Amino acid sequence: MNINLNTFTSFTTSNCYVLQPFGDQVCIFIDLPPDLDEALSYVKQKNLSIGGALITHGHYDHALGLKDFNFNSYINLDDEFLSRNPQEQIKFFMGNSEGIESYSGELQYLDDIPFQNMKHHKNPGHTKGSTSFEFPELGIIFTGDFVFRDGIGRTDLLSGSLDDMKNSIRNVFMSFNEDAEILPGHGPSGKVKSIKENNEYIKMMLNDRTS
């Protein structure tokens, strides 16, 4: 199936995806990194309508763009604090968060997502509210920092949990359609089947029975 999908990679290395899932001019953003200008310019150039944003988790490199996005944004509200308060995250990674303000705009519940051809999967581990978004008819799953082609998300950051990650790998990732394409928050995509066979971190999580 021909999928109308464009990827815009931030200076933070995080991927912002612009997807047209309905066969028309309506697009959905998946994740909102700090620098949205290129993605927003693309939408304007193509004369697309924005149906909203799906945010995989609340870390600043996936949600700081909320301040520049004037449309509905859907997120697991277990990550509301992270998405609204990026200062400590930025200070941890960059040494300074001067001039970074909290986000006070509206955030929408996952259950309020209006798109009928989409499923969301809660997969805590990288963060408490980490979520994947699947479009079964298109054969694609946006996993954020849950699962990458060659790795998995860190569990040592605020609200992360190694035990939760193990459970999410076993109960969420392993239930994904093997023919689906994983579109992660960083790096290249990969088929679920290939990731199961070749991702050493996934194998390690599955083999560790301590939780």
Side-chain angles (χ1 to χ4, degrees):
M1 179 180 294
N2 186 29
I3 301 173
N4 201 332
L5 174 70
N6 286 270
T7 307
F8 301 89
T9 302
S10 166
F11 71 89
T12 63
T13 77
S14 51
N15 294 324
C16 169
Y17 298 98
V18 177
L19 173 68
Q20 291 173 248
F22 310 119
D24 56 18
Q25 292 297 100
V26 176
C27 69
I28 300 170
F29 280 56
I30 294 88
D31 281 344
L32 300 173
D35 46 341
L36 281 182
D37 288 349
E38 187 179 1
L40 290 171
S41 294
Y42 168 82
V43 168
K44 184 176 181 180
Q45 176 188 350
K46 296 295 184 180
N47 198 29
L48 302 180
S49 299
I50 298 176
L54 306 173
I55 302 177
T56 61
H57 63 294
H59 283 158
Y60 80 96
D61 53 334
H62 298 264
L64 192 61
L66 279 165
K67 60 182 174 49
D68 301 314
F69 192 79
N70 300 315
F71 305 88
N72 285 340
S73 299
Y74 302 90
I75 186 171
N76 183 341
L77 292 185
D78 283 337
D79 269 14
E80 180 175 12
F81 179 83
L82 289 176
S83 63
R84 291 193 182 280
N85 301 280
Q87 296 90 341
E88 287 302 315
Q89 304 167 48
I90 293 174
K91 186 175 182 180
F92 176 81
F93 283 104
M94 299 185 176
N96 191 334
S97 61
E98 186 175 350
I100 302 298
E101 298 181 356
S102 297
Y103 176 70
S104 59
E106 288 190 21
L107 293 172
Q108 310 296 324
Y109 292 91
L110 293 178
D111 290 342
D112 292 333
I113 295 174
F115 315 127
Q116 299 300 313
N117 61 344
M118 189 222 76
K119 298 179 180 178
H120 68 264
H121 305 274
K122 295 181 179 180
N123 36 241
H126 180 61
T127 66
K128 185 177 180 181
S130 178
T131 303
S132 294
F133 298 100
E134 179 180 8
F135 291 79
E137 294 178 9
L138 301 179
I140 55 178
I141 307 171
F142 298 93
T143 55
D145 290 4
F146 171 37
V147 171
F148 309 121
R149 188 186 69 178
D150 302 308
I152 59 173
R154 292 175 61 169
T155 61
D156 60 337
L157 303 175
L158 185 62
S159 90
S161 165
L162 180 59
D163 286 344
D164 284 348
M165 178 63 82
K166 292 175 186 175
N167 289 330
S168 291
I169 294 292
R170 294 169 187 160
N171 300 317
V172 180
F173 175 74
M174 293 303 291
S175 71
F176 286 160
N177 185 326
E178 289 199 335
D179 294 324
E181 186 83 7
I182 294 294
L183 294 151
H186 300 264
S189 65
K191 292 285 188 183
V192 170
K193 185 176 190 297
S194 176
I195 293 172
K196 286 181 179 180
E197 293 173 350
N198 299 300
N199 187 319
E200 295 301 324
Y201 294 89
I202 297 286
K203 293 178 183 178
M204 184 171 62
M205 292 291 108
L206 293 174
N207 291 330
D208 187 342
R209 295 297 176 181
T210 60
S211 65

